[in-house]
Amino acid sequence: MTIREEYLEYLHRYWPQQKAVGMIAEARFLDRLEATDIEPISEVMLFQPKPENDEFQPWENIYTFILDASEEDSLSSAQVEAAQLMESAGTTVIFPSVEESDQSGLESFRGGSGDTPLEHELEWKWRSYDFNSSELEQVDIEDETEAWRTRGRSSEDDGEYLDEFTEAVSDFSDDVLKEMFYKEHFFSHHLKEIYSFTGTYFDVDGLLVSDSEITPYEIKEKTAYQDSIELFGLDVSRLIVMLRVALTKGLDPIYIVREVEEAGELHVFDREFVDWHSIQLSDVVRASAWQIQGGGPGMTGGRTQTLMIPKSEFNSVHFEDIDLTDYSDFVGNFQSQI
C-alpha cells in the first residue's frame, strides 16, 4: 500500500462522508488562495477539556492548537499573528510538532511496506511561542493534560465511500492529503487515544493573514435552499465561535460558501460546482431572519442549528481581489449597512 493510500484509508476510518466532502471543499478554497498574497493558517483546532465535576464552563481553559508549523522549527510572520490573535481571545496557544516515533517502522511510513500501523509511526510534541524571545519553547504535555478526564476515545466511521473519496481527491497532491492526515492523527490518535481527551471541540476553519491584517474564516460546501427566495443555512455554533474570536480585536470574519447543485443524496462527492460566495459576519447579523432552524448533519454527524441568509446578501468571490482590510472593523461595517 502506498503512503497516499494509507492516508486515505486512515481518513476514511474516522471521517463521516459529510466531513470528507467538507474537507475537500476547504482544500479547494485553500488552493485558490495560492496565487494571492494571503497566507491561510488552516490547521487551527480549539479544545476545552471537560472538568472533573461536569460543571458548565464559560469561555476559559481553552487550548488553540495550530498545526501549520508541525514540520518547521520556527514560525512565519502569519503564524505569529495567529498566535497573537488567539492569545488575545483568551486561549492557550500550542504549536505541535510531529516526529517519527521511537517505535516507528520508518520504512512503512515512507513506503507503506512495513507492518507498523500508520498511526503509530508518528508522535507529537507541544511548543509555545515566546513573544519576547521570538522562539518556540517545549511544553510539558504531561503537566498540561494531568487534569484531563481519562475517558476519551476516537469514534470510527463505518461509511462505505472509500472509492468515491479516492476519486474525488485524485487531483490533490500527496502533501495536501498529508496535511489532512496530520490534523486527524493529532486529534484521533494523540489527543483522544494517547491523552484520553474528553471535552468540547470548537471549530474555526482557519485564519487569513496578509501582512498585519488577519481575520477568521469559515468555508462550507452548500446547495441553495429554494423558498420564495434562495437561501443558505449557516451553522449557528460556527458563527458564535468566529464572533468570539474576532471581537477581541473588532474583526469581521468571512464566511465562504462553495455552492454546488442539489443532488438526490446529501453529501455526495460529485455535485456540480456553481460558484464561490462570501459574506461578512456583520452582514450575517444584519441580514439573518433571526429564526433558528434545524439543519442537516454537521461534519461530525450531529444535527446543526442554522440561520437562514438570503443568497442575494452574498458576494461572488474574486480571490485575487480579497482585501483583508475590508474585514478589520465589525462595528464600522455593521453600522454602515443599517
Side-chain angles (χ1 to χ4, degrees):
M1 185 181 294
T2 66
I3 190 61
R4 183 183 183 89
E5 291 170 330
E6 288 193 82
Y7 290 151
L8 292 172
E9 287 271 8
Y10 187 86
L11 295 172
H12 173 257
R13 186 194 316 168
Y14 289 106
W15 285 0
Q17 184 167 332
Q18 62 265 29
K19 181 168 184 178
V21 170
M23 296 304 291
I24 290 171
E26 182 174 2
R28 298 201 183 284
F29 168 68
L30 296 174
D31 180 67
R32 294 297 302 270
L33 293 175
E34 288 286 340
T36 74
D37 63 356
I38 294 172
E39 180 177 343
I41 308 300
S42 59
E43 307 300 321
V44 181
M45 311 167 79
L46 279 71
F47 295 98
Q48 183 181 47
K50 193 172 184 178
E52 289 284 357
N53 55 17
D54 281 335
E55 290 182 355
F56 168 78
Q57 288 190 103
W59 182 277
E60 61 184 24
N61 192 31
I62 294 175
Y63 290 84
T64 296
F65 296 103
I66 300 176
L67 276 66
D68 294 73
S70 60
E71 295 183 309
E72 307 298 331
D73 295 326
S74 60
L75 302 185
S76 68
S77 59
Q79 290 158 1
V80 173
E81 289 286 340
Q84 289 176 324
L85 175 62
M86 298 314 299
E87 283 205 1
S88 69
T91 74
T92 299
V93 181
I94 301 293
F95 287 91
S97 63
V98 66
E99 300 178 356
E100 296 159 1
S101 170
D102 291 340
Q103 288 76 42
S104 169
L106 185 57
E107 183 181 3
S108 172
F109 177 67
R110 293 192 173 169
S113 58
D115 297 323
T116 305
L118 179 62
E119 59 264 37
H120 298 299
E121 300 279 354
L122 303 173
E123 62 183 16
W124 294 88
K125 294 186 177 180
W126 293 11
R127 304 169 299 177
S128 62
Y129 185 74
D130 187 308
F131 291 98
N132 293 320
S133 66
S134 300
E135 297 287 342
L136 287 165
E137 300 179 345
Q138 291 294 321
V139 173
D140 190 318
I141 301 177
E142 300 295 335
D143 284 349
E144 292 292 329
T145 61
E146 184 178 4
W148 290 9
R149 300 179 64 176
T150 56
R151 293 191 293 110
R153 62 179 300 274
S154 298
S155 59
E156 298 188 7
D157 186 74
D158 58 2
E160 294 296 332
Y161 65 87
L162 180 58
D163 290 343
E164 294 90 340
F165 181 36
T166 301
E167 175 63 26
V169 299
S170 60
D171 59 328
F172 287 5
S173 69
D174 287 357
D175 283 342
V176 170
L177 297 181
K178 180 173 70 172
E179 290 173 2
M180 292 179 173
F181 162 72
Y182 276 174
K183 192 170 184 178
E184 187 59 38
H185 183 272
F186 180 78
F187 175 60
S188 293
H189 184 73
H190 179 72
L191 289 184
K192 300 284 281 186
E193 299 292 342
I194 302 300
Y195 288 100
S196 301
F197 170 83
T198 302
T200 303
Y201 176 26
F202 299 94
D203 187 26
V204 173
D205 278 347
L207 306 165
L208 301 180
V209 187
S210 179
D211 296 326
S212 61
E213 299 292 338
I214 185 169
T215 197
Y217 73 85
E218 181 78 10
I219 160 70
K220 288 292 176 284
E221 182 168 289
K222 295 182 177 294
T223 59
Y225 172 73
Q226 184 65 55
D227 196 6
S228 58
I229 58 173
E230 287 189 300
L231 302 154
F232 288 126
L234 309 188
D235 183 352
V236 172
S237 65
R238 305 296 180 91
L239 299 175
I240 291 173
V241 175
M242 278 207 300
L243 191 63
R244 176 60 181 83
V245 169
L247 288 186
T248 59
K249 291 194 173 182
L251 306 175
D252 197 0
I254 180 172
Y255 197 110
I256 303 287
V257 170
R258 184 179 189 268
E259 185 186 3
V260 292
E261 292 283 3
E262 187 172 5
E265 296 180 59
L266 288 174
H267 308 300
V268 292
F269 295 103
D270 57 355
R271 293 186 293 182
E272 185 176 350
F273 172 71
V274 178
D275 199 4
W276 292 98
H277 307 278
S278 72
I279 190 170
Q280 292 160 252
L281 198 53
S282 59
D283 284 330
V284 171
V285 173
R286 176 187 56 79
S288 71
W290 290 105
Q291 294 178 339
I292 297 176
Q293 301 183 16
M299 288 174 63
T300 58
R303 309 300 293 186
T304 61
Q305 297 293 313
T306 62
L307 282 176
M308 304 304 294
I309 310 294
K311 179 179 171 180
S312 59
E313 295 290 340
F314 288 73
N315 297 310
S316 185
V317 180
H318 302 284
F319 286 86
E320 67 278 5
D321 295 331
I322 296 176
D323 183 350
L324 294 189
T325 60
D326 294 338
Y327 306 92
S328 63
D329 185 3
F330 179 95
V331 174
N333 291 343
F334 179 77
Q335 290 179 335
S336 69
Q337 297 296 323
I338 60 175

